[in-house]
Amino acid sequence: MDTLNFNLAQAIEVLERTPNLLDSMLRGLSDGWTTHNEGGETWSPYDVMGHLIYGENSNWITRMEIILSDKPDKTFAQFDRFAQFELSKGKTLSQLLDEFKAVRQKNITYLKAKNLTEADLGKKGIHPAFGEVSLKQLLSTWTVHDLNHLAQISRVMAKQYKQEVGPWVEYLRILKS
Amino acid sequence: MDTLNFNLAQAIEVLERTPNLLDSMLRGLSDGWTTHNEGGETWSPYDVMGHLIYGENSNWITRMEIILSDKPDKTFAQFDRFAQFELSKGKTLSQLLDEFKAVRQKNITYLKAKNLTEADLGKKGIHPAFGEVSLKQLLSTWTVHDLNHLAQISRVMAKQYKQEVGPWVEYLRILKS
């Protein structure tokens, strides 16, 4: 398979689209679509929005700063995969969509202003589980992380009709994943 | 898992969002994102757009009409899963996004004007592979089919950076599917 090499401008193309995309996808939908999950401890689209906001505030840019810094210890803090349950409390989905749009825009502006060089992209930080990772890998992961959660939201919504599609379940890969 | 029952108004909420969502996701992206696939005979985001247009013109509404008709033989025609390779020839992605928006809007307007009753939703047609299927199952499948292809586009794009995320591949479910 012929894949792409990381390219900062092209990664930003994806990252800066995500807020409007999520807005088109979720704003104004009936609660059934946005609050149901895949069962058990899985996340609803509402939960995913909180997770994305947490990432903007506490993960991606914070980790970039550690990598670019002169600190002797460049170990990242753990990502809290449950932070959104506390942080989203009392907020509507519309509020989360607005909040994500604002913080993502701020982060992209900040990222662009850094004028990262190839040398910067090769700099390293320490992931608490994986060890050495580069800035290029971090920014690639930020991009794929968006797409991962877009696919997740699509899947969670699709599964709400798993009982309703009848025999077509055989042709709908998303219902089997 | 607590899923939703089919509800026509709620299905339309999803169906009518898809054109703007795809527009936010794809219009203006670099070609690398939109023309690469997952290898072999898989589809690129560009290919998926053609497939969605074909479905609007030749599948969903056509099958609904067969179900609601008085024809003695209510067997659907086969869905051509390769139609888009011919139909999209010479068209830009922007043209496909415009074309999909127009035909989806026309189909939703048509669907709403039908004022389908519960009795209508229970009517049956014959799927060439599965046999008897109801209108409710057809409309549920149309909805899930959109979400299936949104997840597919996210996955195809994500996989372009599979080599670039380094050890994070372990945390990104979309790269393993």
Side-chain angles (χ1 to χ4, degrees):
Chain A
M1 172 183 173
D2 186 24
T3 59
L4 299 178
N5 294 320
F6 176 79
N7 173 299
L8 182 58
Q10 290 177 1
I12 290 174
E13 284 178 13
V14 174
L15 289 167
E16 66 188 1
R17 270 170 170 71
T18 306
N20 283 336
L21 204 172
L22 288 167
D23 204 284
S24 296
M25 192 172 195
L26 298 175
R27 194 183 294 268
L29 276 183
S30 298
D31 283 354
W33 289 123
T34 60
T35 62
H36 283 222
N37 64 18
E38 296 173 89
E41 297 297 300
T42 64
W43 297 354
S44 68
Y46 176 91
D47 297 332
V48 173
M49 284 309 305
H51 169 76
L52 290 172
I53 291 167
Y54 172 75
E56 294 303 301
N57 287 324
S58 308
N59 185 324
W60 309 108
I61 294 290
T62 311
R63 289 179 170 191
M64 177 173 81
E65 294 296 5
I66 293 172
I67 291 173
L68 296 174
S69 76
D70 294 323
K71 287 184 186 167
D73 180 5
K74 297 196 178 187
T75 306
F76 308 149
Q78 289 268 4
F79 193 101
D80 181 353
R81 294 184 62 263
F82 303 97
Q84 68 272 15
F85 297 109
E86 200 52 45
L87 294 170
S88 299
K89 259 186 189 156
K91 295 181 185 167
T92 64
L93 179 62
S94 286
Q95 286 175 307
L96 297 182
L97 288 165
D98 289 340
E99 198 174 330
F100 178 63
K101 197 171 290 193
V103 68
R104 169 60 60 91
Q105 199 158 39
K106 189 189 73 170
N107 284 343
I108 295 295
T109 302
Y110 185 80
L111 174 63
K112 285 179 176 171
K114 279 280 174 191
N115 291 312
L116 297 172
T117 62
E118 274 302 313
D120 289 331
L121 292 171
K123 289 181 181 166
K124 305 264 169 69
I126 308 293
H127 187 282
F130 303 136
E132 244 184 27
V133 288
S134 69
L135 179 55
K136 184 158 86 171
Q137 289 170 340
L138 176 74
L139 297 175
S140 299
T141 300
W142 190 7
T143 309
V144 174
H145 182 265
D146 272 18
L147 296 165
N148 193 37
H149 287 296
L150 290 172
Q152 177 185 23
I153 291 172
S154 303
R155 186 180 71 237
V156 175
M157 290 176 63
K159 285 188 180 174
Q160 304 312 316
Y161 275 3
K162 188 166 187 174
Q163 307 304 321
E164 298 292 19
V165 300
W168 268 292
V169 67
E170 285 307 313
Y171 285 181
L172 295 162
R173 171 172 171 172
I174 198 167
L175 297 180
K176 302 189 207 179
S177 57
Chain B
M1 172 184 172
D2 186 24
T3 60
L4 300 177
N5 294 320
F6 177 80
N7 173 297
L8 182 58
Q10 289 177 2
I12 289 174
E13 285 178 13
V14 174
L15 289 167
E16 65 189 1
R17 271 171 169 71
T18 306
N20 283 337
L21 204 173
L22 288 168
D23 205 285
S24 296
M25 192 173 196
L26 298 175
R27 194 183 295 267
L29 275 184
S30 298
D31 283 354
W33 289 123
T34 60
T35 62
H36 283 222
N37 64 19
E38 296 173 89
E41 299 297 301
T42 64
W43 296 354
S44 68
Y46 177 90
D47 297 333
V48 172
M49 284 309 305
H51 168 77
L52 290 172
I53 292 168
Y54 172 75
E56 294 302 301
N57 287 322
S58 308
N59 186 323
W60 309 109
I61 294 290
T62 311
R63 290 179 170 191
M64 177 174 82
E65 293 296 4
I66 292 172
I67 291 173
L68 296 174
S69 75
D70 294 325
K71 287 184 185 166
D73 180 3
K74 298 197 179 187
T75 306
F76 307 148
Q78 289 268 1
F79 192 100
D80 181 354
R81 294 185 61 262
F82 302 98
Q84 68 272 16
F85 297 110
E86 199 54 46
L87 294 169
S88 298
K89 260 188 190 158
K91 294 181 184 164
T92 64
L93 179 63
S94 286
Q95 285 175 308
L96 297 182
L97 288 164
D98 290 340
E99 198 174 329
F100 178 64
K101 197 171 289 192
V103 68
R104 169 59 60 91
Q105 200 158 38
K106 189 189 73 171
N107 283 343
I108 295 296
T109 302
Y110 185 81
L111 174 64
K112 286 179 177 171
K114 280 277 174 195
N115 291 313
L116 297 171
T117 62
E118 274 302 313
D120 289 330
L121 292 172
K123 290 182 180 166
K124 304 267 170 67
I126 309 293
H127 186 281
F130 304 136
E132 242 182 30
V133 287
S134 69
L135 179 55
K136 186 159 86 169
Q137 290 171 339
L138 176 74
L139 297 175
S140 299
T141 300
W142 190 8
T143 308
V144 174
H145 182 265
D146 273 17
L147 296 164
N148 192 36
H149 285 296
L150 289 173
Q152 176 185 24
I153 290 173
S154 303
R155 187 180 70 237
V156 175
M157 289 176 63
K159 285 189 180 174
Q160 304 313 316
Y161 275 3
K162 187 165 185 173
Q163 306 306 320
E164 298 293 21
V165 300
W168 269 292
V169 68
E170 283 309 313
Y171 285 0
L172 295 162
R173 172 172 170 172
I174 198 168
L175 298 181
K176 303 191 208 178
S177 57

